[in-house]
Amino acid sequence: MRRYSAFAIVREAARYHRGWERAWTSPEPRARYDVVVIGAGGHGLATAFYLGRNHGIRNVAVIEKGWLGGGNTGRNTTIIRSNYLQDPSAAIYEKARSLYETLSQDLNYNVMFSPRGVLMLAQTHHEVRGYRRTAQANALQGVKTEFITPERVRQLVPIIDIDGPRYPVLGALWQARGGTARHDAVAWGYARACSDMGMHILQRTEVTGIAQAGGKVTGVRTTRGDIGCDKLAIVVAGHSGRLAEMAGFRLPIESVALQAMVSEPIKPVMDVVVMANTVHGYLSQSDKGEMVIGGGADGFNNYTQRGSFHHIEETVRALIETFPMLSRLKMLRQWGGIVDMTGDRSPIISKTPLADCFINCGWGTGGFKAIPGSGWAMAELVARGEPGPLAAAFGLERFREGRFIDESVAAGVAH
Ligand SMILES: Cc1cc2nc3c(=O)[nH]c(=O)nc-3n(C[C@H](O)[C@H](O)[C@H](O)COP(=O)(O)OP(=O)(O)OC[C@H]3O[C@@H](n4cnc5c(N)ncnc54)[C@H](O)[C@@H]3O)c2cc1C
């Protein structure tokens, strides 16, 4: 595939843009692949990419029932940070964050990584203690964060009302190299790089069954026919429970709707990302000028991809307390995704009871930031059959052994 470059843009401009190739192919499925990945979200595509790049496994298909990135990957608010409390989480999220730093160059695709800094506001004394503790843990883990004063918060975010009526800002956990990236571009960039390695990305192809013989996976049944495989990676976020059922095992996971919305575009007013966990809302400004606003998850399980109306009201009401200027904005649109939540709010990257079938899920409300690290770790697991150091703690057996990786404080809002 021809490289994207400034020179290519000039060349194509001179010939009316007739020379651009398709970014990825749409092939007919082969009868058999070395590895089938179910789910062309960021995590599935990144798994395929690192299988090819790090382990030389290129006879790979990524099977997607809808379109590339049409699941949570294209529906999230794109916050990237790695300031988690527990060591295994900090390790995988920091690996992902550091891979994001050079992802545009690695994929030859501009994923618009913007390390503008992420603030997590402390608005209760409990949160102050919690974030000070996280800052100490991060120092030991080699993750650069600091706890900053309300004055510093005001300098970084001039539109904030730090004396808010219910919850004044008492400080914040600040990660200067956290930020955002363009979600579609992450999916598209990985897809293009996978296609360039000869992998097949099969869109509009739903997996309807998982074939097995003698306790080992042998292939998948799809709406485009049966496809054989030596190894299978299930990477379907909110649909993990359904795919696990097809494979014959159960997961300690729940699927709930999480929603977000954007305002009309306005001039630049805020160049950092702000999360307010106590009042439950988070905010950044997109390159187009829209305020990107995320809220909470529904309190009941469902697959609707919409989210309940009362969350819109609760989220906006909460944010207006801290950002009064938001009350004058019109909201443009709202959407939802189905996220996969584990009890300890940490992911699962694991072997399964079915031999050569592996699963990556449980990223819940915060998996966009993890895509490169998760793909790296999952590819290692699939290629070697055993987890590497990044994935070792995230196996399914931790739920049986009671060895939880509790991120429900660090990841209460989690984005
Ligand atoms: C509103 C919202 C805001 C969020 N904000 C953030 C944030 O700011 N920062 C952050 O880090 N994370 C955030 N997240 C979470 C993040 O989006 C997810 O954790 C992440 O995108 C999961 O990626 P994935 O590749 O695992 O899943 P997905 O992107 O959902 O991909 C899974 C794919 O599997 C496909 N699939 C399912 N079943 C089948 C089948 N039977 N056959 C074939 N294909 C199938 C689906 O169609 C889907 O495309 C947010 C999520 C939502 C919904």
Side-chain angles (χ1 to χ4, degrees):
M1 198 167 283
R2 295 168 81 167
R3 284 184 63 76
Y4 290 156
S5 64
F7 172 73
I9 293 172
V10 175
R11 184 192 64 220
E12 292 307 324
R15 55 182 190 188
Y16 301 101
H17 295 281
R18 282 190 295 241
W20 295 116
E21 298 169 312
R22 284 195 173 274
W24 51 82
T25 56
S26 297
E28 283 304 309
R30 284 185 204 130
R32 181 163 203 89
Y33 295 90
D34 293 343
V35 178
V36 162
V37 178
I38 311 175
H43 290 258
L45 290 162
T47 299
F49 174 74
Y50 293 113
L51 271 172
R53 209 187 73 170
N54 294 357
H55 304 281
I57 301 173
R58 297 184 172 189
N59 183 19
V60 175
V62 185
I63 302 184
E64 168 56 49
K65 72 173 177 176
W67 65 94
L68 275 179
N72 295 334
T73 298
R75 294 165 185 267
N76 75 90
T77 46
T78 76
I79 298 175
I80 295 170
R81 61 185 179 87
S82 59
N83 50 357
Y84 282 71
L85 182 62
Q86 310 291 351
D87 291 350
S89 325
I92 195 161
Y93 285 105
E94 178 59 13
K95 172 77 181 173
R97 199 205 55 76
S98 63
L99 286 170
Y100 264 118
E101 296 261 3
T102 56
L103 197 58
S104 296
Q105 290 78 15
D106 294 344
L107 299 178
N108 179 229
Y109 200 96
N110 186 2
V111 301
M112 298 165 76
F113 177 56
S114 164
R116 59 183 73 175
V118 175
L119 275 171
M120 295 169 81
L121 301 181
Q123 291 178 288
T124 63
H125 291 290
H126 174 75
E127 267 185 319
V128 171
R129 278 198 299 274
Y131 288 148
R132 281 191 188 282
R133 180 182 173 213
T134 305
Q136 303 284 0
N138 290 162
L140 293 171
Q141 293 150 348
V143 176
K144 275 196 185 156
T145 60
E146 57 178 314
F147 189 81
I148 60 173
T149 61
E151 258 325 298
R152 180 91 194 281
V153 173
R154 202 205 305 259
Q155 284 162 10
L156 286 164
V157 196
I159 60 170
I160 208 166
D161 176 8
I162 59 169
D163 302 315
R166 271 197 308 164
Y167 295 108
V169 175
L170 305 173
L173 185 62
W174 168 238
Q175 183 169 24
R177 292 300 290 180
T180 59
R182 173 71 200 268
H183 46 20
D184 304 311
V186 172
W188 297 337
Y190 275 120
R192 178 171 172 267
C194 288
S195 190
D196 193 31
M197 285 191 273
M199 296 178 180
H200 282 184
I201 296 161
L202 307 172
Q203 298 184 73
R204 298 187 186 283
T205 310
E206 181 168 358
V207 172
T208 53
I210 293 178
Q212 42 186 293
K216 180 190 174 322
V217 71
T218 55
V220 288
R221 279 185 283 280
T222 80
T223 46
R224 287 168 77 186
D226 292 354
I227 298 175
C229 65
D230 294 340
K231 293 183 177 181
L232 179 67
I234 302 175
V235 197
V236 294
H239 298 276
S240 300
R242 296 190 56 227
L243 269 294
E245 197 179 0
M246 290 179 203
F249 60 92
R250 294 194 67 195
L251 287 174
I253 214 157
E254 291 181 308
S255 293
V256 295
L258 178 75
Q259 61 185 306
M261 65 201 105
V262 287
S263 74
E264 60 187 330
I266 53 173
K267 286 183 180 172
V269 292
M270 194 178 84
D271 61 2
V272 297
V273 179
V274 181
M275 300 170 61
N277 289 2
T278 295
V279 295
H280 215 117
Y282 49 99
L283 191 65
S284 64
Q285 189 167 21
S286 75
D287 295 340
K288 282 186 285 183
E290 300 158 336
M291 300 307 285
V292 182
I293 298 172
D298 277 353
F300 50 92
N301 301 351
N302 73 96
Y303 289 101
T304 58
Q305 284 202 325
R306 275 207 313 264
S308 306
F309 188 74
H310 74 272
H311 269 302
I312 302 175
E313 193 181 350
E314 276 175 17
T315 302
V316 173
R317 189 175 57 206
L319 280 175
I320 284 173
E321 286 185 16
T322 311
F323 300 92
M325 55 81 72
L326 288 185
S327 66
R328 304 186 51 192
L329 294 185
K330 295 189 186 74
M331 291 299 143
L332 269 192
R333 57 182 187 278
Q334 167 271 359
W335 64 90
I338 299 301
V339 295
D340 41 340
M341 311 275 267
T342 57
D344 59 1
R345 299 294 184 264
S346 287
I348 296 167
I349 307 173
S350 183
K351 298 200 265 190
T352 71
L354 182 61
D356 288 333
C357 171
F358 306 90
I359 192 152
N360 178 329
C361 62
W363 295 97
T365 59
F368 176 73
K369 65 178 71 63
I371 285 172
S374 156
W376 185 287
M378 183 68 176
E380 196 169 20
L381 171 64
V382 174
R384 299 195 178 144
E386 292 296 331
L390 281 178
F394 295 108
L396 269 171
E397 64 282 358
R398 78 175 188 271
F399 297 98
R400 206 173 43 239
E401 295 164 1
R403 193 175 36 76
F404 304 122
I405 306 168
D406 188 358
E407 288 293 351
S408 47
V409 177
V413 171
H415 311 288

